[in-house]
Amino acid sequence: MTHRSRNLAILGLQWGDEGKGKLVDLLSARFQNVVRFQGGNNAGHTVVVNGQSIALHQVPSGALHPECFLVVGSGVLLNLEVFRQELDRLSQRGVDVMGRLLISAKAHVILPHHIALDQWREGGAGANKIGTTGRGIGPAYEMKAARMGIRMGDLKHPETLVDRILPGYKEVRILLGPDASLPTPEAIVAQLMEFAKPLLSCIGDTQAHLMDAEKKGESILFEGAQATLLDIDHGTYPFVTSSNCSIGGLFTGTGLSHKSIGNVLGVAKAYTTRVGAGPMPSELLDATGARLREVGREFGTTTGRPRRCGWFDAPITRHAVRTNGADGLGLMKLDVLDGFPEVGLVIGYRNGHGELSANLPSCSQDWLDLTPEVRMFKGWSQPTRGVKSLSELPTEARGYLDALMEIVEAPIAYLSTGPDRDEGFVWPGCFLDGVI
Ligand code: IMP
């Protein structure tokens, strides 16, 4: 096996919150480099350090493994205030990342007026509310595309920053009006530099670092944030985030080529959730949906919002498997389905003319027309919670999983049966066999 084939990408296959964090946590000890390549502090997952939970939003999850080198790629957005808070919380728990953290000089920063604009849009009466996390993600990526953004490397030239910020700042001021409370550009820069000071030595050329790492035979774990259905191109536009959360974002957000990818592990829950507005044909607005939310503790890590819940949606997941070239599934939270008398699997959608298809519409209006076609399976009376091998799975659960794999066109590589590290198992014979 060459070093390249050891590199692994972990990507979300639904609308985020699939439990990628558990897999990254399980796997990162086996990799020498862990890389975030897109998104910002809209992402979030909780890790447990010495018995205490810490929510990480921007620091790569490999932080907890002292041998892991952490890379923040060029496609990431950083809110430096939040980043510093995460680093401080980690260091209070005895986790120090200095000396093993490299932030791309090309990564962009989120500024206070980006956050103000995001919240202004979401707070208005417009019909186009996305239900964003309110963290300034959209406006910061807009500024990047409009060539008015500030990159981490620019922080090494603080004297230029007020002038660099002004064009974007002025546009936000025009939209929000003269009475909107915004810090002055000078105050924004002063504060930014305060947060940035201890990080300046961590800014560098992450593309070169990763290429050198590969040359030396080191392995790389790519940690995706959000998920394919939130991808700005391949998701349920306009109800998406503003980055490419599927495989394409990995290349632009690291500067590596397809040759650097060994396997792609696509992560999905055994049911479906979504936060924020937008189509979700599988959504259950009844007691079943409420039970999934309660048992699965489906409340956002970043915003605390209750998540919309429904049965596993095979068409969206198949779309994500195909888009990412996923070699296998990390299927999470099967145990949440324990005790349901019946378990549903959305196998397709019917449009207004009654036609059944498992293809996804491209246009947001066409989603409104769809009703899910659900195949029901007998539930299992034996709980799957904590099951650690295929032979322990109840027959009914196995039947449900077999149908799921067939319709999404990907085999299960890891099955998670509970939140703890040891609740779950690697599917025998898959590409993860022997890796975890
Ligand atoms: P934004 O990324 O804050 O602009 O939000 C755009 C959409 O993506 C909203 O529906 C958010 O709820 C959703 N979103 C962004 N990040 C995450 C995440 O990490 N998990 C789940 N949903 C997310």
Side-chain angles (χ1 to χ4, degrees), residues 235-313:
T236 46
Y237 190 88
F239 301 100
V240 292
T241 190
S242 299
S243 63
N244 286 113
C245 339
S246 50
I247 193 87
L250 187 159
F251 303 120
T252 53
T254 59
L256 297 182
S257 82
H258 66 285
K259 291 180 186 159
S260 298
I261 305 291
N263 285 109
V264 176
L265 178 63
V267 189
K269 272 189 279 218
Y271 51 97
T272 309
T273 66
R274 159 159 222 178
V275 219
M280 179 180 172
S282 60
E283 183 171 18
L284 293 167
L285 295 165
D286 55 9
T288 305
R291 179 169 165 184
L292 286 170
R293 184 176 311 111
E294 197 189 315
V295 181
R297 294 174 308 284
E298 295 298 350
F299 298 88
T301 317
T302 300
T303 57
R305 291 179 291 176
R307 296 178 185 142
R308 300 157 66 191
C309 296
W311 296 128
F312 187 88
D313 184 327

Side-chain angles (χ1 to χ4, degrees), residues 15-17 42-43 130-133 137 226 230 240-241 275-276 305:
W15 279 286
D17 309 315
N42 46 351
I130 306 299
T132 70
T133 59
I137 304 298
Q226 292 87 41
L230 288 172
V240 292
T241 190
V275 219
R305 291 179 291 176

Side-chain angles (χ1 to χ4, degrees), residues 121-196:
R121 284 176 181 153
E122 290 289 310
N128 206 22
K129 276 196 220 173
I130 306 299
T132 70
T133 59
R135 302 296 195 261
I137 304 298
Y141 276 124
E142 288 167 40
M143 293 291 179
K144 172 178 176 175
R147 292 145 296 178
M148 293 191 286
I150 299 295
R151 311 207 289 186
M152 287 300 290
D154 297 328
L155 304 183
K156 295 196 171 168
H157 308 279
E159 71 290 352
T160 64
L161 291 178
V162 170
D163 286 344
R164 300 283 309 267
I165 279 173
L166 263 177
Y169 181 89
K170 281 185 185 157
E171 292 190 7
V172 175
R173 175 58 83 193
I174 290 166
L175 279 169
L176 270 58
D179 298 332
S181 111
L182 281 180
T184 62
E186 291 75 12
I188 290 174
V189 170
Q191 200 175 46
L192 185 65
M193 290 313 299
E194 197 52 41
F195 293 132

